[in-house]
Amino acid sequence: MKILGIETSCDETAAAIVVDGKTLLSNVVASSMDLHAAYGGVVPEIAARSHIESIIPVIEQSLEEAKLDWQAIDGIAVTYGAGLGGSLLIGVITARTLAIIKNKPLYKVNHVEGHIYANFLTETTLSGYNLPEKQPEFPMLGLIVSGGHSQLVFFENHFKYKLLGQTRDDAIGEAFDKVAKIIGLPYPGGPNIAKAALKGNPLAYQLPKARLKEKYDFSFSGIKTAVLRLSQSIIGEDYNFPSIKLSERLNDAQKADIAASFRRVAIETIVDKTVLAFNEFKPKSVVIGGGVASDQELRNQLSKRLPIDIKYTDPKLCTDNGAMIAALGCYQAAHQINLADPYCLSIKPNLSM
Ligand code: KG4
Ligand code: ZN
């Protein structure tokens, strides 16, 4: 079963082909990130416009890279939520049109669930991918940490899962992006904070971890404000000092210490809850997905604190991509789940798990 996956929920236009939910034949990603960097975050209108420009070339390239023609494709899987409305529309309309003219079944995919399925890819014909040797076993604990989501999900099996907890406010990736902005690092915040943190002391500053009544829920807006107040106090100003002017008054060593301290505490917060859930639900495997899942500090802390050996996937499959959508699409096709009508599939920007 060969599935073409299409992903356009945010600023990446992506298409990939996966066989039987485990073999990656192609993975093409065109990002409009550079266009957004000047604004310090994703601008929805710019993202949608660049999906329009890139979607057809990206899909054509994914077929070329896989050395396949349309006849070999058994179905199309497309992200229909969650995400930015304008961005989702381009992927969904393209997938619907292709499903009709190429006469292929169409599967609608939940983006957040897709992040988990990147971990099921264990083989590839492509070079430059470091994939786990074995697929994860059920029961499985999934941690999704991206720019839009922070969720802990317990999977008894494919499509049998329970959402244990999620963020009440900002997602962890969003907190990385906002903290980066405060200390003058470019978008996206995650990799830039990680780079700056390498030169800093992670114990330089104490920052708060949110305490919530629901034990598996997260909150990251408090730590973001704490970083703002900390930065103001380091330069001897009070809370009235404009955040936009902070970065010019902080020196590189102070920025590195703030980045390292924030990264340590933010990552510790999600690892604490993952360990708690692991002890309660005793899964056979733990998988992580979403942009922040490529963070080495997260991988180190999890490996240190969990009693099982975790096989992490390639960082290229943690940020948004079509491979995760194609992988989940294969399982949906095999279980005949989420088959969509190509004449009327609509987007669901607020889709949850
Ligand atoms: O999964 P993703 O590509 O898009 C969403 O679905 O949101 O995640 C993007 C987020 C951004 O907030 C970015 O700052 C963060 O993931 N990110 C990282 C890294 N690469 C991207 N965070 C930490 N370390 C990274 N290497
Ligand atoms: Zn994502």
Side-chain angles (χ1 to χ4, degrees):
M1 168 96 62
K2 294 187 187 70
I3 297 285
L4 167 74
I6 298 175
E7 154 64 37
T8 64
S9 67
C10 190
D11 56 341
E12 268 92 22
T13 315
I17 296 168
V18 168
V19 192
D20 295 338
K22 68 185 228 182
T23 310
L24 181 64
L25 298 187
S26 65
N27 188 34
V28 182
V29 182
S31 178
S32 57
M33 196 184 288
D34 293 350
L35 301 175
H36 305 287
Y39 304 93
V42 176
V43 183
E45 289 79 5
I46 295 178
R49 187 184 300 251
S50 75
H51 287 310
I52 296 175
E53 287 167 4
S54 308
I55 187 84
I56 297 298
V58 163
I59 292 171
E60 278 173 352
Q61 201 183 327
S62 76
L63 286 159
E64 232 168 79
E65 199 173 275
K67 302 187 178 63
L68 295 175
D69 57 22
W70 274 104
Q71 233 181 343
I73 300 297
D74 298 300
I76 300 173
V78 64
T79 302
Y80 76 115
L84 300 169
S87 290
L88 288 167
L89 261 180
I90 312 304
V92 166
I93 296 287
T94 307
R96 283 172 51 180
T97 311
L98 288 170
I100 294 166
I101 59 178
K102 303 291 183 190
N103 195 22
K104 308 287 176 190
L106 178 66
Y107 299 92
K108 56 179 187 179
V109 172
N110 179 325
H111 175 86
V112 185
E113 208 178 324
H115 272 301
I116 293 292
Y117 277 77
N119 294 282
F120 283 82
L121 295 165
T122 53
E123 294 168 5
T124 184
T125 50
L126 303 171
S127 58
Y129 283 82
N130 191 2
L131 301 181
E133 280 156 27
K134 265 185 16 192
Q135 290 192 312
E137 281 179 82
F138 294 103
M140 167 179 91
L141 182 63
L143 172 68
I144 299 130
V145 277
S146 73
H149 301 272
S150 309
Q151 300 190 333
L152 261 171
V153 189
F154 180 68
F155 288 78
E156 270 176 49
N157 211 324
H158 293 295
F159 312 113
K160 251 190 115 184
Y161 60 76
K162 176 163 87 170
L163 178 64
L164 303 181
Q166 59 188 325
T167 185
R168 295 297 197 82
D169 38 57
D170 291 354
I172 182 165
E174 207 177 338
F176 269 85
D177 295 338
K178 287 177 178 167
V179 165
K181 211 168 175 178
I182 293 173
I183 60 174
L185 300 177
Y187 175 83
N192 289 306
I193 292 230
K195 205 164 126 200
L198 293 178
K199 292 190 211 124
N201 173 9
L203 298 170
Y205 303 113
Q206 290 311 312
L207 290 163
K209 283 186 195 171
R211 284 174 201 276
L212 301 164
K213 235 178 30 214
E214 280 73 19
K215 62 180 172 178
Y216 296 121
D217 275 357
F218 302 97
S219 164
F220 290 101
S221 70
I223 189 170
K224 176 197 68 191
T225 309
V227 168
L228 176 61
R229 298 285 173 258
L230 169 69
S231 305
Q232 289 163 328
S233 83
I234 290 174
I235 59 161
E237 299 283 355
D238 70 8
Y239 65 89
N240 287 311
F241 190 81
S243 64
I244 197 152
K245 294 211 165 125
L246 274 172
S247 72
E248 33 185 274
R249 297 268 303 270
L250 290 164
N251 64 37
D252 286 350
Q254 289 165 332
K255 288 180 186 178
D257 282 347
I258 295 171
S261 302
F262 162 76
R263 183 188 189 209
R264 174 183 60 83
V265 176
I267 297 288
E268 248 172 44
T269 306
I270 48 176
V271 173
D272 287 349
K273 306 233 169 184
T274 310
V275 172
L276 201 65
F278 181 89
N279 291 337
E280 180 173 344
F281 295 95
K282 305 193 169 33
K284 280 202 178 132
S285 59
V286 174
V287 296
I288 61 177
V292 183
S294 34
D295 188 286
Q296 198 52 47
E297 172 72 14
L298 172 62
R299 294 173 176 218
N300 294 347
Q301 283 195 26
L302 276 178
S303 294
K304 214 185 281 169
R305 291 183 52 193
L306 288 174
I308 54 166
D309 190 19
I310 308 179
K311 302 289 182 221
Y312 300 102
T313 192
D314 196 288
K316 291 190 283 300
L317 298 177
C318 292
T319 42
D320 290 350
N321 62 81
M324 65 191 207
I325 304 305
L328 176 50
C330 289
Y331 294 94
Q332 291 187 179
H335 290 76
Q336 283 298 293
I337 279 176
N338 282 343
L339 191 59
D341 182 344
Y343 287 94
C344 58
L345 174 62
S346 50
I347 58 164
K348 284 232 166 80
N350 295 320
L351 183 67
S352 63
M353 280 192 79

